[in-house]
């Protein structure tokens, strides 16, 4: 079977997951190179993944490694310049979300992708590959709920990992940019439209440290879409029971709810504590299958020349909407969203 030789950039929390999948679980992929700022992470690539071609300098990997594609899983501020460099070096690109951390950066990324139409570019909005979301989308396309007019999305990180959230809060871009971007993408996907206005609120209830840096521990945003549909996002960092990702799509003839009880599996425990359903712990567990499917899709696109459905413009739009949401939260006012292209 023909294999796509690929290098991974970034071997942190998510980079290790993608690298392991590319090394062992994606037919058609061959992980042949890796890059990280940290020697300790490169030791992981060498010892655990048997990748010997390792770099601490990304440009050096692009210049020297025998690869046709890169998976960019570095810190968000690196994505736009790294994807442009990879495309210029003749590589296909899978890039983690967010596309960029400023809207101007996203516009520059659009130009870089447009310059290389012969190369595959896929942005990592992995929820679109999760089996339950894929099922919901297919049902909606089949007319199972009539015309969808409202998406209600909840995305709350586990309280268990609050220390990490506090540590990264200053550089995360804020609650709505860091956390809500997946829900923003899902609203656009299900409603087939872009929001024209947003009103967002938020505050800090148990952890004043977020308010002290101008951020929020939890927040809500209400959107009105171009096609008159509505969106509601509730996002936060302190779900006591685990990782709570829930989405409801309401239509003229019914509705679909995805994981209203974000349970670990189908088992239910009956004991002295009552009837207990354990919650999924964090994103690697919840989206394990989606992470594999999105990379399989990327490799299939490279092998067949197919153009991915998720494109660079989805990355720019979701970033624009996340910034407008943050502005509304900070100004305490309704924000009309302008899409200057
Ligand atoms: N899709 C999702 O569900 C999801 C989940 C978590 C993280 N992410 C995204 O994935 C990206 C990585 O997140 P993380 O939590 O793994 O971060 P992390 O901080 O754990 O790891 C960052 C990695 O990038 C490397 N790196 C940074 N700058 C680099 C450079 N210039 N050259 C080479 N390597 C460099 C670091 O050495 C490290 O290996 C972020 O953009 C984040 O938003 C997405």
């Amino acid at each position: 079977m023909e294999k796509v030789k690929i290098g991974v950039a970034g071997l942190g929390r998510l980079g290790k997951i993608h690298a392991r999948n590319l090394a062992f679980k994606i037919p058609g992929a061959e992980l042949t190179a890796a890059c990280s700022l940290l020697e300790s992470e490169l030791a992981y690539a060498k010892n655990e993944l048997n990748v010997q071609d390792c770099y601490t300098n990304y440009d050096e990997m692009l210049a020297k490694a025998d690869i046709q594609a890169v998976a960019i899983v570095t810190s968000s501020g690196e994505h736009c310049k790294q994807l442009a460099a990879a495309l210029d070096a003749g590589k296909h690109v899978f890039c983690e979300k967010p596309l960029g951390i400023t809207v101007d950066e996203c516009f520059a990324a659009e130009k870089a992708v447009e310059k290389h139409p012969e190369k595959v570019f896929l942005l990592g909005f992995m929820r679109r590959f999760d089996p339950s979301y894929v099922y919901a989308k297919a049902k909606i396309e089949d007319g199972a709920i009539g015309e969808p007019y409202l998406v209600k999305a909840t995305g709350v990180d586990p309280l268990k990992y609050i220390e990490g959230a506090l540590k990264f809060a200053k550089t995360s871009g804020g609650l709505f940019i860091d956390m809500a971007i997946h829900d923003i993408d899902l609203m656009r996907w299900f409603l087939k439209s872009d929001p024209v206005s947003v009103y967002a609120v938020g505050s800090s209830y148990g952890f004043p440290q977020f308010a002290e840096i101008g951020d929020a521990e939890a927040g809500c945003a209400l959107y009105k879409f171009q096609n008159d549909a509505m969106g509601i996002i509730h996002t936060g960092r302190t779900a006591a029971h685990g990782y709570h990702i829930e989405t409801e799509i309401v239509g003229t003839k019914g509705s679909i709810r995805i994981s209203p009880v974000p349970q670990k599996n189908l088992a239910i425990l009956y004991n002295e504590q009552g009837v207990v359903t354990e919650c999924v712990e964090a994103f690697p567990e919840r989206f394990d299958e989606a992470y594999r499917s999105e990379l399989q899709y990327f490799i299939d696109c490279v092998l067949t020349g197919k153009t991915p459905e998720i494109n660079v413009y989805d990355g720019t739009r979701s970033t624009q909407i996340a910034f407008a949401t943050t502005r509304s939260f900070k100004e305490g006012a309704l924000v009309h969203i302008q899409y200057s292209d």
Side-chain angles (χ1 to χ4, degrees), residues 8-18 34-39 41-42 55-59 61 72-79 81-82 94-99 101 124-127 168 172 177-178 181-182 243 283-284 287 291 294:
V8 67
L11 285 165
R13 282 185 318 163
L14 185 58
K16 282 198 186 71
I17 295 172
H18 283 326
C35 172
S36 162
L37 299 178
L38 302 175
E39 288 290 355
E41 292 181 347
L42 293 174
Y55 302 84
T56 49
N57 182 297
Y58 175 76
D59 292 324
M61 178 171 84
I72 298 173
V73 206
T74 53
S75 320
S76 304
E78 305 291 322
H79 295 179
K81 60 175 184 262
Q82 289 185 341
F94 167 83
C95 181
E96 254 313 319
K97 64 66 39 203
L99 178 61
I101 53 168
F125 279 133
M126 82 301 180
R127 286 197 203 169
F168 291 111
S172 72
I177 289 167
D178 186 34
I181 200 112
H182 287 293
Y243 181 54
F283 69 85
F287 291 110
Y291 290 130
E294 69 175 352

Side-chain angles (χ1 to χ4, degrees), residues 315-332:
T316 305
R317 281 284 155 111
S318 56
T319 305
Q320 286 174 305
I321 297 161
F323 269 92
T325 310
T326 304
R327 212 181 109 207
S328 172
F329 158 62
K330 290 201 182 254
E331 295 177 0

Side-chain angles (χ1 to χ4, degrees), residues 210-267:
F210 290 109
E212 282 158 19
I213 57 164
D215 199 3
E217 174 191 320
C220 289
L222 178 64
Y223 300 86
K224 179 180 168 62
F225 281 72
Q226 260 155 9
N227 64 359
D228 216 28
M230 301 174 283
I232 301 170
I233 287 180
H234 161 213
T235 183
R237 311 178 195 263
T238 53
H241 54 291
Y243 181 54
H244 193 119
I245 300 297
E246 173 186 352
T247 311
E248 180 176 3
I249 305 106
V250 183
T252 50
K253 292 186 180 158
S255 61
I256 298 186
R257 295 181 76 170
I258 298 152
S259 60
V261 179
Q263 59 201 62
K264 200 174 190 63
N265 51 42
L266 294 178

